[in-house]
Amino acid sequence: MKKKLWALMMAAAVTVSAVGCGNGKDPAKEAQTPGQENPAKDENSAADAAENAGAADHAGKTITVWIEKIFSDDANAAMEARLRQFGEEQGVTVNVELIGATDFMTKLNATIEAGQNVPDIISSSTTKVLNYYPNIPCLDVSGLVEEINGERPYITSALEGTQIGGIHYYVPYDSSSCMMFVRKDKLAEAGITGMPATWDEVFETARAISDPDNDFYGLGMGCGENDDDDENTLRQYFWNEGGYLLDAEGNITVDNDVIKNCVTNWAELYHSQVIPPDAITWDAGGNNSSYLAGRTGIVFNTPTLYNAMKNDEQYAELLENTAVLAPPAGADNNVYMSYPVGFSIMNTCKDVDLASDVIKYVAEKEWYDEYIAKIAPIYAPVFQDAENSPLWTEDEVNAQVLKYVQSATGYYGYPVATISGRSVAAKHYFTFPVGKMFNQVATGAASVEDAVAKIASDLDDFKDMVGE
């Protein structure tokens, strides 16, 4: 059963990849990988390579890079061209493979298990790394991150938020967001003059603009079985109110009044027809589809929803009546879920100097800024100087996205700080437990107490799996 569950989680991981600090244990020891006594001290480590980067002659060498495709064909082509340009300039054979998100982890897992044809560099993220714990197949690239940060400082949330147990297993490259989309015209019709800034104001506004008799609902926040978009939003909601599944030490704390109140409140909104009746069956596309169809007034989605309206004339009026804002704050905080991505160097890489130089080449400022401009606002830069760029300050939507990325410090299991605890939380995430909890209570399939107890029990099982 556990093997089946593990396979399910690894398959689910690819559907979420677009998105901590501190530790209570020795991070180098915890990150041990078979065949590697201590990757943080490996003589071929990326930290050592960073000190000597640029000194090596790479002519005649070969390197393999796997890039996970993103939404833009132009951006994918630009990244591939940049990598091949490195090869031409350095006399290096660069094998570039662009792989779809749904196939990436399956293919990577197969090569790692077989011990053959493992790439040297991969598109990476915190979630990808944590799903391999305790056998993390990526090198410690903290030295390389420090070098890049010294030349072009990272946004603090990107630098600190991509550490896992005090170590960088991937080089931060860009980050996504989940914004709040609000129908300005519907608020005006209801006599509401300001945008909601807190969760209480979101719910109050949603009630005021709901018109279920005409198939219009104030809040498009669902809880379908595989709705990872709203799984993230629901977690963020109870974080902001001060409720957590786990504490910093990894203790299970889901049985608390804040989470129970949040679940109960959502169920009441659902039964009051402030939330669409089909929201309990949505997948990740449910909220944005409802918004584009003119059925919902407030939703939380990546800026792909903005692009969908911007790039299609049929949504021109809807776009004009839409405000794109950072998500609301709660009674306790305004922590946002973070979605950084970057590049890992695999521990089977035979030339870490070369791999490090490749990553630095695609992070070179002039080219990087041009590349990020192609994918804005879906992805945002992770460097502080974005604050001085007209692209990210003069465009209203881009500015809101940058504000989000600067404030995004949340992650699966937040605020658990240990690498083992974060691994438990990441593995648990891919069963979409929070959405199920809200769903069961809203549909009457379980009481709040029973739904909370189910999450607590499942977290215990995942702790056993990780060996905590």
Side-chain angles (χ1 to χ4, degrees):
M1 179 64 184
K2 286 185 177 179
K3 286 184 178 179
K4 182 177 180 182
L5 184 57
W6 171 254
L8 176 64
M9 291 184 304
M10 292 308 294
V14 301
T15 69
V16 181
S17 63
V19 105
C21 51
N23 65 323
K25 303 179 183 179
D26 179 352
K29 185 176 181 181
E30 280 194 299
Q32 248 176 284
T33 306
Q36 242 188 294
E37 271 191 25
N38 188 333
K41 296 181 180 179
D42 190 286
E43 63 181 2
N44 195 35
S45 71
D48 293 336
E51 296 178 4
N52 302 313
D57 179 6
H58 300 310
K61 297 179 179 179
T62 298
I63 193 163
T64 299
V65 185
W66 283 10
I67 300 296
E68 185 174 308
K69 291 181 183 178
I70 60 173
F71 72 98
S72 168
D73 290 340
D74 288 343
N76 291 328
M79 179 61 74
E80 181 177 11
R82 179 66 174 177
L83 290 165
R84 296 199 185 284
Q85 183 181 0
F86 174 89
E88 292 172 5
E89 292 180 4
Q90 297 290 322
V92 172
T93 299
V94 181
N95 298 317
V96 184
E97 189 164 354
L98 298 176
I99 303 171
T102 55
D103 299 322
F104 192 93
M105 288 299 291
T106 301
K107 186 166 184 176
L108 182 62
N109 293 341
T111 62
I112 291 173
E113 185 174 347
Q116 296 179 343
N117 302 316
V118 179
D120 300 296
I121 301 171
I122 63 166
S123 297
S124 193
S125 66
T126 303
T127 305
K128 280 188 176 76
V129 171
L130 286 172
N131 269 281
Y132 285 108
Y133 176 82
N135 299 317
I136 296 174
C138 310
L139 290 177
D140 174 359
V141 291
S142 301
L144 179 56
V145 173
E146 288 173 9
E147 180 184 354
I148 294 172
N149 183 60
E151 296 176 358
R152 190 181 190 187
Y154 280 107
I155 294 169
T156 301
S157 61
L159 180 64
E160 297 180 356
T162 51
Q163 288 183 331
I164 307 171
I167 290 176
H168 277 103
Y169 290 99
Y170 66 99
V171 176
Y173 195 72
D174 53 41
S175 189
S176 188
S177 60
C178 185
M179 309 302 291
M180 179 169 67
F181 292 76
V182 183
R183 284 286 297 271
K184 297 184 293 185
D185 55 332
K186 294 295 184 179
L187 269 62
E189 289 172 10
I192 301 171
T193 57
M195 291 290 124
T198 68
W199 282 105
D200 283 347
E201 290 175 2
V202 166
F203 301 143
E204 182 181 354
T205 300
R207 287 183 182 280
I209 65 176
S210 288
D211 184 10
D213 290 341
N214 290 299
D215 196 34
F216 185 82
Y217 308 87
L219 183 61
M221 192 161 82
C223 58
E225 185 174 353
N226 297 305
D227 185 356
D228 56 287
D229 265 9
D230 286 317
E231 172 80 17
N232 294 332
T233 303
L234 293 169
R235 286 171 180 249
Q236 192 166 295
Y237 164 38
F238 60 64
W239 289 349
N240 296 159
E241 300 298 337
Y244 307 97
L245 302 184
L246 301 159
D247 65 15
E249 290 73 40
N251 299 308
I252 299 170
T253 58
V254 62
D255 190 358
N256 64 76
D257 288 341
V258 173
I259 288 181
K260 290 178 181 177
N261 288 338
C262 288
V263 176
T264 301
N265 184 44
W266 191 95
E268 194 278 327
L269 290 167
Y270 177 75
H271 290 299
S272 299
Q273 295 186 293
V274 176
I275 295 170
D278 57 327
I280 57 172
T281 66
W282 283 353
D283 59 15
N287 53 15
N288 53 304
S289 294
S290 73
Y291 194 84
L292 292 174
R295 295 182 65 228
T296 49
I298 301 173
V299 299
F300 301 88
N301 206 278
T302 66
T304 52
L305 176 55
Y306 170 74
N307 273 17
M309 292 185 285
K310 183 180 178 181
N311 297 328
D312 193 329
E313 185 60 32
Q314 68 173 310
Y315 300 121
E317 184 177 353
L318 180 61
L319 178 60
E320 185 178 348
N321 287 316
T322 296
V324 183
L325 306 167
D332 189 73
N333 60 68
N334 66 334
V335 172
Y336 305 148
M337 182 74 82
S338 180
Y339 303 98
V341 294
F343 296 102
S344 285
I345 300 175
M346 303 300 285
N347 61 13
T348 50
C349 177
K350 292 183 171 54
D351 195 330
V352 182
D353 285 345
L354 173 58
S356 298
D357 284 352
V358 169
I359 293 172
K360 287 190 290 185
Y361 191 77
V362 295
E364 185 274 324
K365 184 181 186 306
E366 183 176 356
W367 185 86
Y368 177 91
D369 289 349
E370 292 177 358
Y371 173 78
I372 289 293
K374 296 178 189 294
I375 56 178
I378 311 301
Y379 292 95
V382 290
F383 297 106
Q384 291 180 19
D385 57 15
E387 294 180 342
N388 304 318
S389 166
L391 176 66
W392 295 99
T393 57
E394 296 178 4
D395 182 285
E396 185 176 348
V397 173
N398 288 359
Q400 289 290 338
V401 169
L402 181 61
K403 173 186 173 184
Y404 180 106
V405 170
Q406 290 170 323
S407 303
T409 55
Y411 47 81
Y412 305 142
Y414 179 84
V416 63
T418 65
I419 189 171
S420 56
R422 291 190 64 180
S423 178
V424 167
K427 290 171 168 48
H428 180 239
Y429 169 86
F430 291 113
T431 64
F432 305 128
V434 169
K436 286 185 174 69
M437 175 174 62
F438 278 76
N439 189 302
Q440 289 173 337
V441 175
T443 60
S447 66
V448 174
E449 289 74 19
D450 288 344
V452 166
K454 177 68 165 65
I455 286 190
S457 175
D458 289 347
L459 279 168
D460 259 333
D461 290 343
F462 278 95
K463 281 192 170 191
D464 291 341
M465 182 185 297
V466 171
E468 257 206 317

